[in-house]
Amino acid sequence: MKAPSSAPKKSWFQPAPTEAERAEQRQARAKLRIGIPRVLNIWSTHQFWFGFLEALGIDPRRIEFSSDTSDEQSRTYAKGRGTVDCCYPVKCISGHYGELLARSKRKIDILFSPMIHSVPSYLDGHVDASLTCPRVMAASENIKAGFIKERDAFAEARVLHVTPFVSLADPPVVPKQLYEGMQDAFPGLTLAETTHAVEVGYRTLNAYNQRLRAKAREILEWCAREQRPCILVLARPYHMDPGIGHEIEVDLQAHGYPVLWAQYLPTDPDLLHWMFDPDIAEGHIRSPLDIRDVWKSSYSGNTNEIMWGAKVAARMPWIAAVVRLASYECGMDQPTYSPVQSIVERSGTLFFSFQDLDSTKPAGSVKIRVETVAHYLAKQGADIIGKKLAASQPDCPLLKA
Ligand code: SF4
């Protein structure tokens, strides 16, 4: 397929394509190979994009993600294309773009990098509860600048850079946003099929999130049955990228402690009411998924989920330790450091923080700190569980499993 760096806009005076032309356009679309940088909010929404693109006729085997972030990736593909942004997870995107553009085997036709303005959230009761960090939202265009400043690297690689603006937390506007942002790149695209594909995207994402929440509940039930401690990681979903979060949670798990991730905590009504009914009765919150008692600002979906995760950690007896991860110079996370720590520690739960993560992986110091977490859990885990259990409501649903 011909792939100039920017496709001509449609003219109002063009006749509508015939059915035969549409069928031909759909066939051409099915042959597209789509590259998606494995960065930022793609970590929590990739299943939406899988469902969406597949419903538009793209073979899932033709959807290519870049590799995890690594030094080698930056060294090889980001040279001279850096951005002035001091946020490390944003800086790393240049390596992902470069890697996708450089692919000669399984060469991509489209580099798909949506500007995600808001992300779906399970939380409830907040205005603008789901906005993304502005650096995240602008990243696609910010990074593009480095690839066109001397010569147009997209045109040279014959790859279209497609960056639809999308508010995923606001489903009714999404079909129009994606249709407008993608119609020039996807042959024969219609608003009706975009609308259908968006529905499939949400269904795929929800099913995936439910599977992960069910798994987290299973782990908590096991901990409750065996009276064993587990660890909760409070971070942004992209800290799961080994190059951004430095696999600290993997090292912790190697010590035999199950690790849960805040964004995938179970949200089953029985568990939520067991944890939060006293707060509702006292009028601190209106629902178990409301964080107005601890966080008034509510300007970022990921931040809100970190705050809620801290509240869950404080109430869940088997979460005996919390590990906080944050990236170097993250202005969004900075104001949350103290409230998160005090919510967690006030409940007697252990709190450890790995802040200012950047390109350097201080392996020695991470090892020592991971061993410290494991040491305190071995020493105090059972005691913490006992004290938190004594302070909880009776009849924990996890103990009935
Ligand atoms: S939330 Fe923080 S780490 Fe993430 S993109 Fe924004 S500034 Fe960077």
Side-chain angles (χ1 to χ4, degrees):
M1 187 208 149
K2 195 169 180 261
S5 72
S6 59
K9 293 268 173 223
K10 276 187 189 150
S11 156
W12 287 107
F13 301 104
Q14 266 173 353
T18 62
E19 251 328 295
E21 281 166 338
R22 279 206 188 287
E24 204 179 301
Q25 286 167 331
R26 275 196 291 270
Q27 266 177 12
R29 198 195 302 164
K31 289 193 190 128
L32 292 173
R33 193 177 291 282
I34 316 282
I36 305 181
R38 191 192 297 250
V39 296
L40 302 176
N41 287 328
I42 295 295
W43 278 84
S44 58
T45 61
H46 62 286
Q47 290 292 320
F48 174 91
W49 300 114
F50 260 128
F52 172 73
L53 291 169
E54 198 177 348
L56 288 184
I58 307 291
D59 183 336
R61 289 167 302 185
R62 298 178 80 87
I63 301 174
E64 305 268 333
F65 284 92
S66 52
S67 329
D68 290 335
T69 300
S70 67
D71 274 356
E72 199 196 340
Q73 185 190 53
S74 301
R75 266 199 314 276
T76 315
Y77 301 110
K79 256 194 217 134
R81 287 161 169 167
T83 117
V84 287
D85 203 308
C86 59
C87 160
Y88 181 59
V90 169
K91 253 188 213 158
C92 290
I93 303 175
S94 305
H96 290 263
Y97 266 41
E99 184 198 313
L100 287 169
L101 287 179
R103 284 195 182 175
S104 51
K105 265 194 216 159
R106 302 168 68 83
K107 190 193 156 323
I108 61 165
D109 303 296
I110 288 179
L111 197 156
F112 186 70
S113 183
M115 288 195 279
I116 303 177
H117 162 251
S118 64
V119 275
S121 175
Y122 52 85
L123 295 184
D124 174 31
H126 276 274
V127 177
D128 288 344
S130 304
L131 293 182
T132 61
C133 160
R135 279 170 165 172
V136 168
M137 191 187 67
S140 310
E141 289 296 324
N142 179 1
I143 298 303
K144 175 184 169 186
F147 285 80
I148 56 172
K149 67 178 177 195
E150 280 158 16
R151 359 185 263 278
D152 188 336
F154 297 100
E156 276 177 9
R158 300 180 65 73
V159 167
L160 270 179
H161 184 222
V162 178
T163 59
F165 179 89
V166 61
S167 312
L168 287 176
D170 196 358
V173 304
V174 173
K176 191 158 178 280
Q177 288 176 327
L178 290 179
Y179 173 64
E180 282 174 359
M182 295 169 62
Q183 59 177 327
D184 293 331
F186 282 64
L189 190 67
T190 65
L191 179 59
E193 65 179 330
T194 311
T195 305
H196 167 70
V198 165
E199 284 163 14
V200 177
Y202 280 115
R203 275 204 302 276
T204 313
L205 177 64
N206 289 339
Y208 174 80
N209 289 347
Q210 284 316 320
R211 273 203 311 280
L212 262 62
R213 292 192 204 298
K215 189 74 202 157
R217 179 166 181 141
E218 235 177 70
I219 291 168
L220 281 168
E221 283 172 352
W222 178 83
C223 291
R225 211 167 39 242
E226 306 289 326
Q227 291 299 305
R228 295 275 293 270
C230 64
I231 298 169
L232 178 69
V233 175
L234 293 182
R236 291 171 185 270
Y238 46 80
H239 287 112
M240 292 177 198
D241 179 342
I244 304 291
H246 298 324
E247 298 185 282
I248 291 165
E249 78 285 10
V250 178
D251 294 345
L252 286 162
Q253 196 152 337
H255 283 267
Y257 295 104
V259 172
L260 302 173
W261 208 272
Q263 284 76 15
Y264 298 106
L265 283 167
T267 51
D268 307 306
D270 59 342
L271 211 47
L272 293 186
H273 285 289
W274 177 75
M275 285 188 285
F276 292 106
D277 270 358
D279 304 79
I280 297 171
E282 285 169 23
H284 300 312
I285 47 175
R286 292 183 198 157
S287 84
L289 297 170
D290 179 359
I291 54 168
R292 75 188 68 213
D293 54 335
V294 295
W295 196 237
K296 311 284 180 222
S297 318
S298 183
Y299 46 66
S300 150
N302 284 167
T303 307
N304 294 340
E305 289 175 3
I306 287 170
M307 299 305 293
W308 189 73
K311 291 179 62 178
V312 171
R315 285 160 181 77
M316 179 55 70
W318 299 279
I319 297 177
V322 163
V323 170
R324 180 76 208 266
L325 309 181
S327 296
Y328 177 70
E329 289 256 353
C330 174
M332 299 299 271
D333 277 345
Q334 207 114 38
T336 69
Y337 292 155
S338 304
V340 163
Q341 182 167 358
S342 74
I343 293 166
V344 172
E345 286 187 337
R346 229 182 299 145
S347 67
T349 308
L350 296 168
F351 181 83
F352 302 91
S353 167
F354 293 76
Q355 286 166 15
D356 287 343
L357 298 173
D358 62 7
S359 54
T360 36
K361 183 179 179 186
S365 97
V366 166
K367 186 166 180 279
I368 292 168
R369 290 162 78 189
V370 163
E371 279 170 5
T372 308
V373 179
H375 167 77
Y376 278 103
L377 270 174
K379 214 168 134 201
Q380 298 180 12
D383 205 29
I384 293 169
I385 292 172
K387 283 188 183 141
K388 285 174 81 177
L389 205 46
S392 306
Q393 294 208 87
D395 302 325
C396 174
L398 295 174
L399 288 165
K400 292 178 192 154

